[in-house]
Amino acid sequence: MLADGSVVRDEDLTEVPSTEVSRLLGMPNVKEALLYDTLGGRRVRCNICLRRCCVPPNRAGYCRTKINIAGKLYSTIYGVVSAAHADPIEKKPVFHYKPGSQCFSVGSLGCNFRCAFCQNWEIAFADAVSPGGLCEFNLSPERLVKQALDTGSAGVAWTYNEPGIWLEYTLESAKLAKQAGLYTCYVTNGYVTPEHLEMIGPYLDVYRVDIKSMSDDFYRKLIRIPSVKGVLESARLAKHRWKMHVECVTNIVPGWNDDEENVRRIAAWIVENLGDLTPWHVTRFFPYAEMMDVPATPAGTLEKAKRVGEEEGLKFVYLGNIRIPEAENTYCPSCRRLVIERSGYSTRVVALTDEGKCGHDGADLNITA
Ligand code: SF4
Ligand SMILES: [Zn+2]
């Protein structure tokens, strides 16, 4: 961490030409940011994510979606939508919240991480200071909610890129979505500040978070943040302070986070901090972006991770990005019988009560039906 509390050096903050700065101010997608402090010399500190960038005038934050204009911080992605689809919630993946429901899913541009294996790098690493191309520029929160309702969706998810940098938009949209009776879901890398959660917490139902590794070395080398610590603290806050439904994902990258000790530590952390009924999705890595030389995760590695997770006490470990029969089904940990059958994105609820309990013996499954 640097002396100013940030984890970002000035040289990682993109310079924005002054002609571009004056053009941006009149645009509908440019809106004053939430959660920033004014520092000396017209610098500002952004407190939306844990990078806490200290941004001088005419520069953009690390995610390139926040820009300092004359000592005020602005978001450049308000209402900027790069993708919008009505998806099954299982695709997030979220398995224990309104199973089988449709979730209107939107993403924008930019990210606060720089994962070497990012599957969405075209939007995540895009120059969001001047968003262009295929983006819809003005999907207001009102229109987002209307589209969700028009498509018969039961909820809204912010996903595809990182919602943790999109607070100005997710907050307004989440408030309206809740008023309209929709549920709300973040699909997040979890690198958000407590202040961010304090704002969105009352309006967010589901927190689907990546726990990529317990090793700071993994986060430093492949993700370009100093430590996993902040991700874990935010997940605990989401669960305990804000009572969100939390599900975790770990993408197993051969040679990087597949050693048994690491897998065991992740599972043990979830059991201890989020509870043994927390769903854990262990997913297959495919060679991508900067990591084309790493092979896809073997099925046996995933199956072993599932065994290790169960040994640590997790009751619901699912295998994703791979077709292994029954690896996505929900079985009751008490009576061992099938409760929800999943194949691809088709979901069949077999035996679930209206309260989300096992339909066979009434056991608690941590499911919101
Ligand atoms: S949201 Fe962007 S500008 Fe703000 S702290 Fe995070 S990376 Fe930096
Ligand atoms: Zn049962």
Side-chain angles (χ1 to χ4, degrees):
M1 189 179 288
L2 305 177
D4 56 14
S6 166
V7 296
V8 181
R9 297 162 309 168
D10 273 9
E11 50 268 41
D12 293 325
L13 304 174
T14 320
E15 209 155 335
V16 185
S18 39
T19 46
E20 182 65 1
V21 169
S22 23
R23 191 183 68 84
L24 285 172
L25 266 182
M27 295 188 62
N29 54 300
V30 177
K31 190 175 163 94
E32 188 169 0
L34 296 168
L35 292 179
Y36 72 90
D37 299 326
T38 305
L39 310 173
R42 292 196 300 171
R43 289 169 75 95
V44 295
R45 179 190 296 112
C46 175
N47 296 311
I48 284 185
C49 92
L50 287 164
R51 282 201 185 271
R52 296 196 191 271
C53 299
C54 289
V55 189
N58 287 16
R59 290 226 191 182
Y62 186 91
C63 60
R64 292 198 276 179
T65 72
K66 305 275 181 284
I67 174 169
N68 179 342
I69 304 178
K72 280 186 170 182
L73 192 66
Y74 292 85
S75 166
T76 59
I77 53 168
Y78 188 87
V80 173
V81 169
S82 63
H85 302 282
D87 284 337
I89 192 169
E90 283 73 17
K91 208 168 172 178
K92 306 299 108 195
V94 170
F95 281 9
H96 284 219
Y97 197 89
K98 306 273 181 190
S101 69
Q102 187 127 281
C103 185
F104 195 73
S105 304
V106 287
S108 187
L109 297 174
C111 192
N112 50 355
F113 280 7
R114 284 289 175 277
C115 302
F117 49 93
C118 181
Q119 299 273 334
N120 290 334
W121 63 268
E122 289 96 335
I123 56 168
F125 304 164
D127 180 6
V129 171
S130 307
L134 298 174
C135 288
E136 178 159 359
F137 264 72
N138 202 6
L139 188 67
S140 66
E142 289 80 5
R143 282 182 56 222
L144 167 63
V145 168
K146 182 171 184 314
Q147 287 190 12
L149 294 170
D150 288 350
T151 54
S153 301
V156 173
W158 296 274
T159 175
Y160 309 130
N161 77 318
E162 173 50 45
I165 60 170
W166 206 14
L167 179 64
E168 296 77 12
Y169 183 71
T170 60
L171 181 63
E172 291 306 312
S173 314
K175 285 180 181 172
L176 291 182
K178 295 298 296 172
Q179 278 170 20
L182 297 165
Y183 66 76
T184 53
C185 172
Y186 259 23
V187 177
T188 179
N189 62 34
Y191 204 51
V192 292
T193 56
E195 304 95 292
H196 183 136
L197 287 175
E198 202 74 24
M199 285 196 128
I200 195 86
Y203 311 102
L204 201 55
D205 298 304
V206 184
Y207 191 77
R208 218 290 283 127
V209 61
D210 294 334
I211 300 178
K212 297 173 193 289
S213 174
M214 294 306 267
S215 145
D216 289 345
D217 195 52
F218 179 98
Y219 271 91
R220 268 196 301 270
K221 288 188 176 144
L222 296 191
I223 314 297
R224 284 108 194 195
I225 64 161
S227 166
V228 62
K229 199 165 149 253
V231 173
L232 302 180
E233 282 169 7
S234 299
R236 277 181 50 81
L237 281 178
K239 166 89 184 173
H240 298 291
R241 172 153 173 74
W242 296 108
K243 312 287 179 230
M244 293 179 206
H245 172 77
V246 179
E247 300 202 13
C248 304
V249 170
T250 302
N251 189 230
I252 301 279
V253 186
W256 284 93
N257 62 355
D258 58 344
D259 60 290
E260 184 175 328
E261 191 205 333
N262 182 55
V263 172
R264 203 171 278 289
R265 282 178 64 206
I266 298 173
W269 185 89
I270 296 172
V271 170
E272 192 178 330
N273 293 278
L274 305 176
D276 61 356
L277 298 182
T278 305
W280 186 34
H281 303 264
V282 178
T283 62
R284 189 179 201 200
F285 163 89
F286 287 101
Y288 212 74
E290 293 171 46
M291 296 188 70
M292 291 302 291
D293 54 334
V294 177
T297 322
T301 305
L302 299 171
E303 283 166 333
K304 184 172 172 200
K306 179 175 164 69
R307 273 200 308 279
V308 166
E310 288 168 350
E311 280 166 21
E312 289 301 317
L314 284 171
K315 304 289 189 246
F316 303 106
V317 185
Y318 300 105
L319 303 184
N321 293 350
I322 192 165
R323 285 289 177 93
I324 296 178
E326 300 170 8
E328 295 186 308
N329 289 349
T330 300
Y331 295 93
C332 171
S334 162
C335 68
R336 307 268 161 208
R337 294 173 72 188
L338 180 65
V339 175
I340 304 175
E341 185 177 53
R342 300 183 188 83
S343 174
Y345 294 121
S346 115
T347 298
R348 187 171 73 89
V349 174
V350 177
L352 192 65
T353 69
D354 290 347
E355 294 77 39
K357 307 269 192 267
C358 172
H360 306 293
D361 67 353
D364 183 10
L365 305 170
N366 184 26
I367 291 179
T368 300

